[in-house]
Amino acid sequence: MRRIVPFVLLLVAVAVLVVQLRHHPRATTFGRAQVVRVVDGDTIRVRLDGRTERVRYIGVDTPESVKPGTPVQCYAKRAAAANAALVAGRSVRLVGDVERRDRYGRLLAYVYREPDGAFVNAQLVREGYARTLAIAPNVAHARQFAQLAQTARRSGRGLWRACGMG
């Protein structure tokens, strides 16, 4: 009996893991890409697998600076400059979530700067250049981003202070 209990516990643990994996699709790694243009605070163009792709950062939203019909919003140029300082001309690793593209055909990704692995989406929120934008089902880092935004807001960082949002 003593030998059976650990074996049964192991089987239960494996079964739970299999169910979790089935219901939580693994993130897609699009791979390494070269940033060829920073469009604004949350969008870049990259060279990936021999083609140019527009990439929209998942989970974050920066003030608009290039949206047609929309005036340049408070802190937009600073957010774009911060994004450029993080990734312009750099190599990045792109990791997806559940959905591969948005309704505009842009690749949706969490962006990690190479070679240091800095998580760009999180960095923009942490420093107050971006707010959170959780759109299900792409919410793998939503809780992390919400905590970073709350801290940035309380500290009066970036747009939270400059745009009277604090």
Side-chain angles (χ1 to χ4, degrees):
M1 183 70 167
R2 285 185 164 166
R3 292 181 185 175
I4 293 175
V5 171
F7 180 72
V8 170
L9 291 174
L10 177 63
L11 285 177
V12 169
V14 168
V16 167
L17 182 61
V18 167
V19 168
Q20 287 176 340
L21 288 174
R22 240 185 241 151
H23 294 291
H24 297 290
R26 290 188 339 204
T28 302
T29 299
F30 298 118
R32 208 171 257 181
Q34 185 70 31
V35 176
V36 295
R37 180 173 173 240
V38 173
V39 176
D40 62 17
D42 54 31
T43 308
I44 55 177
R45 286 188 178 269
V46 300
R47 194 81 181 138
L48 176 68
D49 296 332
R51 65 187 186 287
T52 300
E53 288 276 2
R54 290 179 305 155
V55 177
R56 173 63 167 83
Y57 295 0
I58 298 173
V60 303
D61 187 42
T62 60
E64 297 296 342
S65 62
V66 295
K67 186 175 183 180
T70 303
V72 175
Q73 297 175 337
C74 179
Y75 226 65
K77 295 203 182 267
R78 287 188 181 173
N83 191 23
L86 287 167
V87 300
R90 305 281 299 260
S91 178
V92 294
R93 184 170 47 91
L94 304 175
V95 177
D97 203 326
V98 176
E99 296 174 321
R100 184 177 176 89
R101 295 189 183 272
D102 69 6
R103 64 183 177 195
Y104 304 108
R106 298 176 296 191
L107 202 60
L108 296 170
Y110 299 109
V111 179
Y112 297 86
R113 183 177 63 200
E114 296 292 336
D116 65 358
F119 189 8
V120 177
N121 308 50
Q123 189 70 25
L124 291 169
V125 175
R126 179 182 296 111
E127 294 179 5
Y129 293 107
R131 296 175 293 265
T132 61
L133 180 64
I135 301 175
N138 303 311
V139 294
H141 293 281
R143 187 171 292 154
Q144 175 189 4
F145 294 161
Q147 290 170 344
L148 292 170
Q150 185 177 42
T151 301
R153 184 177 190 155
R154 280 191 199 139
S155 302
R157 283 191 215 122
L159 61 84
W160 301 109
R161 177 183 310 248
C163 303
M165 301 173 68

